[in-house]
Amino acid sequence: MAYPNLAAELKRFNISQEELATRIGSTPETVSRWMNGKNKMPVDACFRIKQELFPSLSVDYLFANEPIAKTI
């Protein structure tokens, strides 16, 4: 898993990769490749995810490569 904190937040809010893809204007396949670490997530996608779904969380937290404690 390339973005363990993002995955945890998606799970916590019951947001599927398919819903994430729809909300940011991507495809489920692309999101799956990002989440599995097969492709790097573009910076603009990171900011769309933060703004659309998790405005109170930091980019550093959401897109860290290792799980870290959440700070708001």
Side-chain angles (χ1 to χ4, degrees):
M1 182 68 51
Y3 306 102
N5 296 328
L6 175 58
E9 294 300 327
L10 290 170
K11 185 174 183 176
R12 186 164 79 105
F13 287 96
N14 199 29
I15 299 170
S16 68
Q17 288 185 11
E18 292 79 15
E19 181 180 348
L20 173 61
T22 298
R23 297 207 35 197
I24 65 165
S26 189
T27 66
E29 295 80 14
T30 297
V31 170
S32 178
R33 286 192 298 270
W34 294 338
M35 296 302 291
N36 289 318
K38 292 180 181 176
N39 293 95
K40 294 280 186 185
M41 188 180 300
V43 172
D44 64 320
C46 295
F47 281 100
R48 280 194 310 251
I49 291 168
K50 181 200 174 348
Q51 290 171 345
E52 178 73 25
L53 300 168
F54 306 109
S56 66
L57 299 177
S58 74
V59 171
D60 290 344
Y61 166 75
L62 285 171
F63 302 101
N65 289 323
E66 298 288 326
I68 57 175
K70 180 170 52 174
T71 58
I72 298 176

